[in-house]
Amino acid sequence: MSGRIAAAVCLATSALAMSCSTPSTEADNGALLSSTTRSRPSTTPPDSAPNDVTEFTYKGEVAAPDVPNGLDWFNVARPLSLVTDLRGKIVILDFWTQGCVNCLHVIPDLHRLEEEFPDSLAVIGVHWAKFDHERTSEAIGKAIQRLGIQHPVVNDDHEYLRRSYRVQAWPTLVLIDPLGRVVGVHAGEGVYPLFEPVIDQMTREYGAANLIDVRPLELIAKNPDSIPTVLSFPGKVLADPVGDRLFIADSGHHRVVITELGGRILDVVGGGSPGLANGAWVDARFNQPQGLALSANGRFLYVADRGNHAIRVIDLLLRKVRTFAGTGQPVHRVIPGPPLSTSIASPWDVERIGNQLFIAGAGRHQLWIIDTSKEGRQADWIDIFAGTGAEGIQDGPRLTATLSQPSGLSTDGSTLWFTDPEASAIRSVELKDGDEITTLVGTGLFSWGDSVGDVASTELQHAVGVELVGDSLYIADTYNHRIKALHLSTGNSVLVAGNGSPGLKDGYGQNAQLAEPSGLSLANDVLFIADTNNHRIRILNIKTSEITTLELSNLQAAPLITREAADETVTFAQQVVSPGTVKLSVELLLPAGYEFNDEGTFALDLTIENARKSHVVGRSSYRAQGPQMPQEFNLFIGDEKQLKIEVDVTVFYCPAQNATFCLLRHLLLELPIEVGDAGTQKVTLTHPLPSAEEIDRSIESGSG
């Protein structure tokens, strides 16, 4: 990169109070686009600009460095170039990393901008990793699926782009004009209100000059809406040994699943699509729920509704959901007040101690507290319990200490322990005899590793979950894919389970494999683990250190996931059929070693519509448990000449020899037909179902 480019980009960032030499961590908020990036009249426009166009309200003066070759891309069929593929588009480069909570807050704003400017704007995610694990393309692919990111993402694993653009903080967004020049740089949240008027102005001005390429990016490959398993990226889990219940935050499916401790599904609250809706369980909506806590009487379940920036309450008796705290919108600074009118940001866990509900406020690096003594009624106040709101790892009095994205809580009633993932730390606060924040493990925001021993030598990597077991803290060492234990009496730590590499394997101690374990909960000498990237609940036997996988049963108790699109759409070649009664045969072929689940709901919705006028002429539905193949139906075909048969089918199927998980597949089968006297009276639709390995490969390749 030339000295002129470096200076220009550095000037823009310094105007935003960012350092061009000292690395920062996460940027909460930045200033508006730098005034230095607004255009000045020019008599020497770029070669690509028409000679009669000399002024724009927002115009860059420095060419945007292109993406180097050899980087891994996601959600596209091939790598993209700023010079060729994206010329004619307004481009936002979003420098982010998957563990950064401020980066997560930016994603909805980017989605909104993409929806409002579909013809002129292209968002490109540039994943600039902080932690070692985050550098892997496998981890990035999982994060993209978990967060529902649809725009192209490139893995800047060697920081070529980060250095080229002099980016110093997460998140940082770079705005590039349709001629490929850097307009400005913004660090932090607050993206939509800042960028919307700028992009609107640029769209109108560059569009009037015929410099906008309105063609869609045909290279974008659809990212699957959700993983076709019963659970999708479960974030947290709560065991209730008294009630023989297990509550699972099924984060990727935006719902809470209730099972027996043995895995038999009892019920589901909410589900399918993200949203913020109260009411009956079937109507309620969550958005990436995380932490869970039960009331003293076991009737109310408190939910950290992370994506909605709210605390929700599930009434387990009346089967209703209501909002307990939060407005649904994130806030830069939490100001104590009435819970329903006080905005919070990304609550990640909840823990009840007596009548107090403690909240891990990851989004603002704080702990919050609400009095729940009015069981079943609205609380009066939400207050800050610890943390200034600044990100850090400074100990001391709880209101002057700094925290770093607290995400997991545990207690014995007198001490509250919590994880600070961005500092890879375990910290505590005494509730009865003092108010000091103390760090047990962790030394700084950029210090992590994978080691055990005494406290000084213990290292974690973005640990999200913690649970007290006897006199030990069991830790979900998330990015190390391990479970560790810190003995409070001795200060020594030990490795309990996991070999350090992501995978799905049962076994003892280090012979087992996990993939980003995030939530822990104890019941009857076993530790339930939300094994997030495996889409499973795992079980750790405390006495033997054996890891097994919880087998979910009674699958019909889990309503089918409501999704906007099928996992796969299959269009068959047109057939000629005779008018009158036609037999339709639908057969789904199982992969080798699989069988249909006898308890899983099989759903089939059949529609016949006029292919030209797009109106429905026939419709029927069928539901069963454990389908037999083929499924046959009698259809009445009238005298309309051009029809289309659509078969919308959802099916559960499982490995025959290891039914610890089942796949959920949603298919749309389409058959265009022409009606004629010489046509057939029997139509057969046959389609193979993929194995879990085939699904994983298609998801990782971005093909769906």
Side-chain angles (χ1 to χ4, degrees):
M1 184 176 68
S2 70
R4 181 171 178 262
I5 293 175
V9 178
C10 193
L11 178 62
T13 58
S14 62
L16 300 173
M18 295 171 56
S19 168
C20 291
S21 59
T22 304
S24 180
T25 57
E26 296 180 19
D28 288 333
N29 280 288
L32 295 178
L33 292 168
S34 171
S35 61
T36 63
T37 66
R38 293 180 74 92
S39 70
R40 298 187 295 272
S42 174
T43 58
T44 57
D47 294 339
S48 55
N51 290 331
D52 60 341
V53 177
T54 60
E55 293 187 41
F56 296 102
T57 305
Y58 296 96
K59 182 182 75 172
E61 297 182 351
V62 177
D66 202 1
V67 182
N69 296 325
L71 303 184
D72 289 340
W73 282 82
F74 305 85
N75 293 341
V76 287
R78 64 172 176 82
L80 299 178
S81 166
L82 288 169
V83 176
T84 55
D85 302 295
L86 297 170
R87 186 60 53 89
K89 295 289 188 184
I90 301 165
V91 177
I92 294 177
L93 299 181
D94 173 29
F95 288 83
W96 69 293
T97 187
Q98 56 195 274
C100 156
V101 70
N102 302 108
C103 301
L104 305 190
H105 294 167
V106 167
I107 294 173
D109 282 5
L110 294 175
H111 285 177
R112 186 177 176 184
L113 290 170
E114 290 175 287
E115 291 175 353
E116 294 185 10
F117 302 98
D119 298 328
S120 59
L121 176 66
V123 175
I124 306 297
V126 182
H127 192 276
W128 161 36
K130 173 182 176 179
F131 294 96
D132 296 336
H133 169 65
E134 294 176 332
R135 297 183 182 277
T136 66
S137 289
E138 179 184 2
I140 297 169
K142 295 288 188 184
I144 291 169
Q145 298 161 29
R146 183 172 67 248
L147 299 170
I149 296 174
Q150 300 292 325
H151 55 249
V153 176
V154 60
N155 180 11
D156 191 25
D157 56 340
H158 295 291
E159 302 185 19
Y160 297 126
L161 288 167
R162 199 280 299 176
R163 290 194 294 267
S164 296
Y165 287 90
R166 297 292 183 93
V167 172
Q168 302 294 316
W170 298 281
T172 294
L173 297 100
V174 179
L175 182 65
I176 300 170
D177 69 23
L179 300 177
R181 306 167 302 195
V182 176
V183 175
V185 180
H186 169 74
E189 302 177 26
V191 169
Y192 179 82
L194 171 66
F195 278 76
E196 189 277 335
V198 176
I199 295 173
D200 181 65
Q201 186 85 0
M202 294 177 70
T203 298
R204 287 185 282 110
E205 293 181 353
Y206 285 91
N210 292 319
L211 294 175
I212 295 288
D213 184 353
V214 300
R215 294 173 299 176
L217 290 178
E218 300 290 346
L219 299 174
I220 295 180
K222 184 182 179 300
N223 192 46
D225 292 319
S226 63
I227 302 299
T229 51
V230 179
L231 302 178
S232 174
F233 297 106
K236 296 288 186 181
V237 64
L238 175 66
D240 173 26
V242 176
D244 187 26
R245 296 177 296 184
L246 190 69
F247 302 95
I248 303 168
D250 190 10
S251 308
H253 287 150
H254 313 286
R255 63 183 185 174
V256 175
V257 176
I258 307 172
T259 78
E260 296 175 349
L261 293 178
R264 184 177 183 273
I265 297 175
L266 300 174
D267 227 319
V268 171
V269 188
S273 57
L276 178 55
N278 295 320
W281 287 7
V282 68
D283 300 319
R285 290 293 180 269
F286 301 88
N287 190 347
Q288 299 180 15
Q290 289 287 332
L292 308 161
L294 269 176
S295 64
N297 60 10
R299 172 177 169 178
F300 301 101
L301 182 70
Y302 298 96
V303 181
D305 196 1
R306 204 285 302 170
N308 279 325
H309 312 286
I311 304 299
R312 315 287 295 283
V313 179
I314 299 173
D315 189 324
L316 298 170
L317 178 62
L318 298 182
R319 301 175 64 86
K320 293 184 177 180
V321 177
R322 62 185 174 90
T323 300
F324 192 63
T327 64
Q329 297 296 322
V331 67
H332 177 60
R333 181 186 177 204
V334 176
I335 300 175
L340 290 178
S341 58
T342 299
S343 294
I344 57 178
S346 289
W348 219 281
D349 203 3
V350 284
E351 183 80 22
R352 182 190 58 81
I353 304 176
N355 291 326
Q356 304 296 319
L357 185 70
F358 291 83
I359 304 165
R364 289 296 166 256
H365 314 295
Q366 293 177 314
L367 302 179
W368 307 312
I369 187 171
I370 302 177
D371 190 301
T372 65
S373 56
K374 298 180 178 180
E375 291 280 8
R377 293 178 292 166
Q378 188 56 47
D380 296 325
W381 203 258
I382 182 172
D383 210 344
I384 298 170
F385 179 75
T388 64
E391 184 178 22
I393 191 172
Q394 178 182 335
D395 288 346
R398 54 184 172 83
L399 293 177
T400 61
T402 57
L403 316 182
S404 53
Q405 205 170 303
S407 301
L409 301 171
S410 188
T411 187
D412 63 355
S414 60
T415 302
L416 182 68
W417 293 276
F418 61 96
T419 65
D420 260 354
E422 282 298 285
S424 299
I426 305 297
R427 308 176 76 184
S428 69
V429 56
E430 297 294 329
L431 302 176
K432 296 181 178 180
D433 300 325
D435 66 351
E436 296 279 316
I437 299 290
T438 302
T439 300
L440 284 71
V441 175
T443 58
L445 292 173
F446 288 88
S447 178
W448 64 84
D450 184 10
S451 61
V452 294
D454 58 28
V455 170
S457 58
T458 298
E459 294 178 312
L460 309 170
Q461 185 181 185
H462 202 271
V464 173
V466 63
E467 179 80 340
L468 182 68
V469 180
D471 74 336
S472 299
L473 289 176
Y474 277 63
I475 302 163
D477 193 1
T478 307
Y479 282 0
N480 283 326
H481 318 288
R482 297 185 190 269
I483 305 297
K484 294 175 180 175
L486 177 65
H487 301 307
L488 297 173
S489 58
T490 65
N492 293 325
S493 63
V494 296
L495 175 60
V496 178
N499 68 2
S501 298
L504 177 59
K505 180 183 178 183
D506 290 344
Y508 292 88
Q510 297 186 56
N511 291 322
Q513 284 183 296
L514 304 105
E516 291 196 23
S518 299
L520 306 174
S521 188
L522 179 71
N524 305 328
D525 293 326
V526 299
L527 194 65
F528 291 90
I529 305 167
D531 197 9
T532 302
N533 279 2
N534 277 325
H535 318 292
R536 311 281 192 274
I537 302 300
R538 313 293 292 281
I539 301 173
L540 170 66
N541 187 306
I542 298 298
K543 296 180 179 179
T544 66
S545 297
E546 182 185 14
I547 291 278
T548 57
T549 301
L550 180 67
E551 181 176 352
L552 297 176
S553 61
N554 194 34
L555 298 181
Q556 69 267 23
L560 296 174
I561 306 300
T562 302
R563 286 180 282 182
E564 296 180 356
D567 297 313
E568 184 180 4
T569 298
V570 183
T571 302
F572 294 83
Q574 185 182 61
Q575 295 191 39
V576 180
V577 302
S578 301
T581 300
V582 174
K583 180 172 288 186
L584 172 66
S585 178
V586 178
E587 185 169 15
L588 302 178
L589 305 177
L590 289 165
Y594 283 75
E595 63 185 12
F596 293 111
N597 188 281
D598 291 335
E599 297 179 335
T601 300
F602 173 80
L604 186 147
D605 296 297
L606 194 152
T607 304
I608 306 174
E609 64 179 38
N610 186 294
R612 294 179 176 176
K613 299 179 181 180
S614 297
H615 70 265
V616 175
V617 298
R619 177 181 284 131
S620 70
S621 296
Y622 175 76
R623 300 290 187 272
Q625 270 73 50
Q628 301 297 316
M629 293 294 168
Q631 294 282 324
E632 296 186 339
F633 307 88
N634 290 325
L635 309 180
F636 179 78
I637 304 297
D639 56 2
E640 298 190 57
K641 298 301 182 183
Q642 300 291 331
L643 298 172
K644 182 172 70 172
I645 298 174
E646 289 190 349
V647 182
D648 190 304
V649 59
T650 306
V651 62
F652 285 94
Y653 57 106
C654 321
Q657 302 301 320
N658 182 22
T660 58
F661 72 96
C662 289
L663 300 177
L664 172 64
R665 194 70 174 171
H666 179 202
L667 303 171
L668 181 62
L669 311 179
E670 298 179 337
L671 174 67
I673 62 174
E674 180 180 340
V675 181
D677 291 336
T680 183
Q681 292 184 306
K682 183 174 181 179
V683 174
T684 300
L685 303 180
T686 302
H687 185 69
L689 295 170
S691 66
E693 293 76 16
E694 291 171 328
I695 293 173
D696 286 341
R697 286 195 295 269
S698 68
I699 289 174
E700 291 172 1
S701 66
S703 63

